[in-house]
């Protein structure tokens, strides 16, 4: 056969004519774009909503200091064209979930390659590729771990066929600007500890993110804000630690900056609060004047399980800052503290700061025990892991273009060699899950809720959009009359928003037909009325839930959150890591396993592992530990980049 470089001529010709969509231009995306053009791909379109942050520069090699604040997709295109000018690259500074990128848009491509950092976008691209019947290559990394898999309608599991653990990595702008869950506030407080007392890390910025892409849809606006104080690309930022030192680590000044001044600044970014509840600033003096009960200050019950009031956490914040300031002073100039969940002052600081931020953003506050169980080690981003995974994506793409789909595999990159001394372990692709609520022939799901307490807006935003991942749902009640409950046309059913489901005759056993025309997706929702849901639980998706994963039988201490990678949690982009992975092994046998057999079972001696998910922010994978003792410090969830 005639060769063009290392490829057969027929395959080389396929590459030069093939149209590829790359979704994401961050850690994996930069490596992937480089690999694609050097392999011979000529027609590439890349889309990314994010702008470049200074902390991206240590691994996203297509970007330089002068590019800070600019569109990732556009700069990536320009950088690639400098070493491969013959490539035809189109860049979009936009969200892949924008309705402009509909099923017809996806049908323009022979391959779609994901290099994403969040679960919602992954779910959306998965559905668009299923609707367009286009092969999707999914990927993710976390630290030294990574995975690549291929998704093809009717032949393999789709991205949502298997339950996923709750997302453990989050976009940086969520952490800094728009936290919506307690875990976001806990990660922020952990970052704050390092910014004030530990080793400063640009990946762990806590101040409001002025370059948040959601706050300004005009790329020029985002770039202007990001470079407002960085003339000529000379990055000059006021160090949080330097500012704190200049105040003598004054707890009151720290408090007012973090929970009053920064929050008031966030309120000026009014686009963020059009569809969200705005935060409420806290003032130290006003809090001290509040009349509160003894329980608000001291709590009741076991110390670690107490949930204090705002005044109690303000006092805890003050005491912990004073103690940590003394520890820092004892160590001398230039000293740094290392956060440890078993160090009482450090744990007090994170508990107080996280809870005060939860209060600011109208969330239920958490006990010290809960905070400790969620906070832990941060998984760093590793450039070489991204490079390996990007190479594997291209290899799987070559198999598809070579009509060798039967040779496609799910491939896991491990931190340590397995018993057969392999770091890369391929597994046969699994067939579709017949009960999947996304790719089954007739998707169906059951939602347990209280029809007398759940309003239509909660059904739309919290269940259909946030939990099930729809973008613009239309809902019709199967009541024989075809009652329209929710319309994606603006203003058409707004009058229904604050009415209870029971007001429309919805009761136990009612069925709702939900259509998302953008995703070309229809879902039948069975309503299961319940009046005994747990406290603070508004609903449960029963059965094959999109992000509902079986948890360990007992709560484990020492759960850590992976948020160190900018590809998974950085300001401009919108986990648990096992402390010791020696006992979590992937076992090779002579017969090639499928990815679903790579799952650890607590009652088997030779255990196999499956990374169930790969989220760059949310490539999350779940690994069940061999020894699941509640007090063990090892963690059971690893989030992938």
């Amino acid at each position: 056969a005639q060769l063009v470089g290392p490829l057969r001529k027929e395959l080389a010709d396929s590459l030069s004519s093939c149209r590829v969509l790359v979704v994401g231009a961050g850690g994996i995306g930069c490596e992937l774009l480089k690999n694609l053009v050097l392999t011979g791909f000529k027609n590439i379109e890349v889309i990314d909503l994010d702008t470049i942050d200074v902390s991206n520069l240590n691994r996203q090699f297509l970007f330089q200091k002068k590019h800070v604040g600019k569109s990732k997709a556009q700069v990536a295109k320009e950088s690639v064209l400098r070493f491969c000018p013959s490539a035809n690259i189109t860049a979009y500074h936009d969200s892949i979930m924008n309705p402009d990128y509909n099923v017809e848009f996806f049908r323009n491509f022979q391959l779609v390659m994901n290099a994403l950092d969040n679960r919602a976008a992954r779910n959306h691209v998965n559905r668009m590729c299923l609707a367009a019947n286009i092969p999707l290559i999914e990927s993710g990394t976390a630290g030294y771990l990574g995975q690549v898999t291929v998704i093809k309608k009717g032949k393999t599991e789709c991205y949502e066929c298997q339950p996923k653990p709750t997302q453990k990595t989050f976009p940086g702008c969520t952490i800094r600007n728009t936290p919506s869950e307690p875990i976001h506030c806990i990660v922020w407080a952990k970052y704050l500890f390092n910014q004030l007392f530990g080793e400063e890390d640009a990946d762990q910025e806590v101040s409001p993110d002025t370059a948040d892409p959601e706050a300004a849809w005009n790329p020029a606006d985002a770039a202007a804000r990001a470079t407002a104080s960085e003339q000529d690309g000379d990055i000059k930022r006021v160090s949080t630690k330097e500012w704190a030192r200049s105040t003598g680590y004054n707890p009151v000044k720290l408090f007012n900056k973090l929970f009053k001044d920064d929050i008031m600044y966030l309120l000026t970014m009014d686009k963020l609060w059009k569809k969200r509840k705005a935060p409420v600033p806290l003032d130290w003096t006003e809090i001290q004047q509040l009349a509160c009960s003894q329980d608000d200050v001291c709590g009741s019950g076991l110390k670690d399980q107490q949930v204090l009031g705002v005044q109690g956490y303000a006092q805890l914040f003050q005491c912990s800052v004073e103690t940590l300031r003394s520890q820092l002073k004892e160590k001398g100039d230039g000293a740094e503290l290392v956060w440890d969940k078993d160090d009482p002052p450090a744990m007090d600081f994170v508990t107080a700061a996280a809870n005060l931020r939860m209060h600011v953003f109208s969330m239920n506050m958490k006990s010290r025990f809960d905070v400790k169980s969620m906070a832990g080690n941060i998984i760093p981003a590793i450039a070489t892991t991204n490079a390996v995974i990007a190479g594997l994506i291209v290899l799987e793409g070559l198999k598809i273009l070579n009509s060798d789909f039967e040779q496609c595999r799910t491939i896991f990159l491990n931190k340590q060699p397995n018993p057969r001394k392999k770091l890369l372990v391929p597994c046969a692709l699994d067939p579709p899950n017949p009960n999947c609520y996304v790719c089954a022939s007739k998707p169906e799901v059951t939602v347990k809720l209280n029809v007398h307490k759940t309003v239509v807006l909660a059904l739309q935003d919290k269940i259909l959009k946030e939990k099930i991942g729809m973008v613009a749902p239309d809902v019709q009640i199967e009541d024989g009359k075809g009652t329209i409950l929710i319309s994606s046309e603006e203003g058409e059913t707004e009058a229904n928003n604050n009415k209870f489901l029971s007001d429309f005759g919805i009761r136990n056993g009612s069925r709702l037909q939900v259509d998302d025309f953008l995703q070309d997706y229809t879902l039948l929702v069975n309503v299961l009325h319940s009046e005994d849901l747990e406290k603070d639980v508004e609903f449960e998706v029963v059965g094959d839930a999109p992000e509902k994963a079986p948890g360990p039988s007992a709560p484990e201490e020492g759960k850590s959150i992976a948020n160190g990678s900018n590809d998974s949690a950085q300001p401009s982009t919108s986990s648990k890591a096992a402390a010791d992975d020696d006992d979590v092994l992937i076992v090779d046998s002579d017969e090639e396993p499928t990815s679903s057999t790579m799952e650890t079972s607590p009652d088997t001696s030779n255990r196999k592992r499956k990374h169930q998910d790969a989220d760059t922010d949310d490539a999350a994978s779940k690994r069940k530990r061999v020894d699941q003792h509640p007090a063990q410090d090892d963690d059971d969830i690893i989030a992938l980049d």
Side-chain angles (χ1 to χ4, degrees):
Q2 188 177 352
L3 297 178
V4 177
L7 305 176
R8 286 185 301 105
K9 185 176 187 305
E10 295 84 357
L11 181 55
D13 291 343
S14 294
L15 263 60
S16 60
S17 61
C18 168
R19 292 188 68 186
V20 179
L21 175 64
V22 175
V23 188
I28 296 175
C30 283
E31 296 284 351
L32 180 55
L33 287 168
K34 173 257 296 178
N35 289 350
L36 287 171
V37 296
L38 294 180
T39 305
F41 286 86
K42 298 295 183 186
N43 301 295
I44 302 166
E45 299 191 20
V46 57
I47 181 168
D48 197 312
L49 173 63
D50 298 333
T51 52
I52 298 161
D53 185 84
V54 66
S55 60
N56 300 146
L57 306 182
N58 70 338
R59 61 193 173 282
Q60 296 174 25
F61 69 96
L62 296 179
F63 311 141
Q64 299 175 28
K65 191 163 67 171
K66 65 184 179 183
H67 296 137
V68 168
K70 296 181 179 178
S71 161
K72 282 189 175 182
Q74 188 61 40
V75 173
K77 167 191 169 179
E78 294 166 1
S79 298
V80 168
L81 289 177
R82 280 205 294 275
F83 60 82
C84 190
S86 62
N88 176 26
I89 302 176
T90 304
Y92 303 92
H93 179 73
D94 207 347
S95 167
I96 192 62
M97 298 174 75
N98 186 316
D100 291 343
Y101 309 109
N102 54 22
V103 174
E104 290 306 313
F105 173 81
F106 276 80
R107 286 189 178 133
N108 292 324
F109 304 98
Q110 282 74 56
L111 278 176
V112 177
M113 299 175 173
N114 267 355
L116 282 163
D117 66 353
N118 68 88
R119 178 79 52 82
R122 278 186 161 85
N123 288 348
H124 180 72
V125 174
N126 174 60
R127 296 177 192 188
M128 299 304 287
C129 289
L130 290 171
N133 197 15
I134 302 297
L136 168 65
I137 304 177
E138 179 59 80
S139 64
T141 65
Y144 295 100
L145 300 177
Q147 85 175 69
V148 173
T149 193
V150 177
I151 296 168
K152 182 75 169 74
K153 183 178 181 179
K155 291 190 175 183
T156 73
E157 283 186 341
C158 80
Y159 179 73
E160 297 168 84
C161 268
Q162 297 298 333
K164 304 290 193 296
T166 303
Q167 181 175 339
K168 294 299 178 208
T169 60
F170 313 96
C173 47
T174 298
I175 300 298
R176 296 167 64 182
N177 290 0
T178 54
S180 57
E181 300 175 28
I183 185 61
H184 299 154
C185 300
I186 293 168
V187 170
W188 176 88
K190 174 87 181 296
Y191 287 179
L192 177 62
F193 178 91
N194 287 332
Q195 292 288 341
L196 291 175
F197 307 107
E199 182 180 358
E200 291 182 280
D201 185 341
D203 280 354
Q204 298 181 9
E205 184 56 68
V206 292
S207 299
D209 182 7
T210 56
D212 188 337
E214 192 183 348
W217 281 85
N218 182 340
D221 290 349
R225 281 205 308 272
T227 56
S229 61
E230 299 162 3
Q231 299 301 318
D232 302 320
D234 183 17
I235 313 303
K236 294 176 182 175
R237 301 193 173 188
V238 177
S239 161
T240 304
K241 185 180 287 185
E242 285 177 15
W243 176 83
R245 280 177 182 157
S246 72
T247 70
Y249 283 98
N250 183 305
V252 176
K253 289 183 178 178
L254 283 173
F255 183 97
N256 282 332
K257 179 198 182 298
L258 296 167
F259 304 111
K260 180 184 176 184
D261 299 343
D262 283 357
I263 302 304
M264 291 176 72
Y265 182 81
L266 279 177
L267 290 171
T268 67
M269 301 164 73
D270 53 354
K271 275 195 176 183
L272 295 176
W273 317 114
K274 284 187 176 178
K275 295 183 180 179
R276 295 183 178 91
K277 185 171 182 180
V280 180
L282 292 174
D283 181 87
W284 178 269
T285 305
E286 291 176 6
I287 288 175
Q288 301 311 307
Q289 293 171 351
L290 288 176
C292 57
S293 67
Q294 181 68 15
D295 282 354
D296 286 337
V297 179
C298 303
S300 59
L302 296 174
K303 182 182 177 184
D304 271 12
Q305 296 181 15
Q306 296 167 356
V307 178
L308 310 181
V310 180
Q311 194 174 62
Y313 283 122
Q315 290 186 11
L316 185 63
F317 180 84
Q318 180 181 25
C319 294
S320 60
V321 169
E322 289 171 349
T323 305
L324 293 168
R325 176 179 63 191
S326 299
Q327 290 181 358
L328 208 55
K329 189 175 181 180
E330 287 173 10
K331 288 196 166 195
D333 291 342
E336 293 173 348
L337 302 181
V338 177
W339 190 82
D340 182 347
K341 65 180 180 294
D342 296 317
D343 177 37
M347 196 62 236
D348 285 346
F349 175 85
V350 169
T351 301
N355 275 297
L356 290 165
R357 191 164 173 87
M358 286 180 220
H359 183 81
V360 164
F361 285 90
S362 304
M363 299 175 217
N364 292 327
M365 295 189 286
K366 297 288 182 182
S367 69
R368 192 177 191 274
F369 177 84
D370 289 335
V371 173
K372 185 174 182 178
S373 72
M374 297 165 81
N377 294 324
I378 295 171
I379 298 177
I382 307 296
T384 45
T385 308
N386 290 337
V388 171
I389 292 302
L392 292 171
I393 294 172
V394 174
L395 291 177
E396 294 304 304
L398 293 177
K399 294 176 189 176
I400 294 171
L401 294 176
N402 202 33
S403 302
D404 254 348
F405 191 84
E406 297 306 315
Q407 297 301 315
C408 289
R409 297 289 183 266
T410 293
I411 305 169
F412 300 112
L413 171 62
N414 298 304
K415 186 175 181 180
Q416 297 174 330
N418 67 2
R420 294 179 66 183
K421 302 198 169 20
K422 288 186 178 180
L423 280 174
L424 290 171
V425 181
C427 300
L429 297 170
D430 286 317
N433 174 4
N435 298 317
C436 176
Y437 72 99
V438 173
C439 69
S441 56
K442 294 183 178 178
E444 191 170 327
V445 74
T446 298
V447 179
K448 182 194 287 189
L449 48 75
N450 188 326
V451 297
H452 305 299
K453 293 183 177 178
T454 304
V455 296
V456 172
L457 189 63
L459 171 68
Q460 174 185 285
D461 290 350
K462 294 187 177 180
I463 300 176
L464 298 178
K465 288 186 177 180
E466 187 176 322
K467 186 70 176 178
I468 296 180
M470 291 185 163
V471 177
D474 291 275
V475 181
Q476 179 177 312
I477 306 171
E478 292 196 349
D479 55 2
K481 297 180 281 187
T483 304
I484 303 297
L485 188 66
I486 298 170
S487 172
S488 57
E489 294 294 326
E490 191 172 348
E492 204 166 283
T493 54
E494 276 186 14
N496 297 345
N497 282 355
N498 295 314
K499 293 180 180 178
F500 296 107
L501 298 185
S502 56
D503 295 340
F504 298 89
I506 296 173
R507 52 196 171 89
N508 190 51
S510 292
R511 290 156 72 89
L512 310 175
Q513 180 174 312
V514 188
D515 294 286
D516 189 316
F517 294 106
L518 173 62
Q519 296 180 342
D520 195 14
Y521 174 42
T522 299
L523 177 68
L524 189 64
V525 175
N526 297 300
V527 176
L528 182 62
H529 172 67
S530 174
E531 297 189 0
D532 59 356
L533 289 165
E534 294 181 19
K535 184 183 177 184
D536 297 330
V537 174
E538 295 181 54
F539 66 90
E540 290 178 8
V541 178
V542 183
D544 290 319
E547 298 178 19
K548 184 180 173 70
S553 55
E556 292 189 25
E557 189 177 330
K559 309 212 173 191
S560 68
I561 306 306
N563 227 329
S565 130
N566 189 53
D567 317 309
S568 56
Q570 253 313 297
S572 66
T573 313
S574 59
S575 292
K576 298 173 187 267
D580 182 355
D581 287 334
D582 291 345
D583 61 344
V584 184
L585 300 176
I586 291 181
V587 180
D588 265 349
S589 64
D590 293 332
E591 179 183 351
E592 183 176 58
T594 63
S595 56
S596 62
T597 63
M598 298 289 291
E599 186 161 11
T600 306
S601 170
D603 56 357
T604 57
S605 56
N606 285 330
R607 288 168 170 77
K608 301 182 180 183
R609 180 181 82 198
K610 176 185 178 185
H611 291 262
Q612 288 179 313
D613 186 11
D615 279 352
T616 315
D617 204 59
D618 190 356
S621 73
K622 181 166 179 88
R623 304 195 299 172
K624 297 180 182 177
R625 304 290 302 179
V626 174
D627 185 9
Q628 292 194 357
H629 295 301
Q632 188 172 333
D633 282 340
D634 292 341
D635 313 301
D636 65 347
I637 294 180
I638 290 181
L640 298 187
D641 193 12

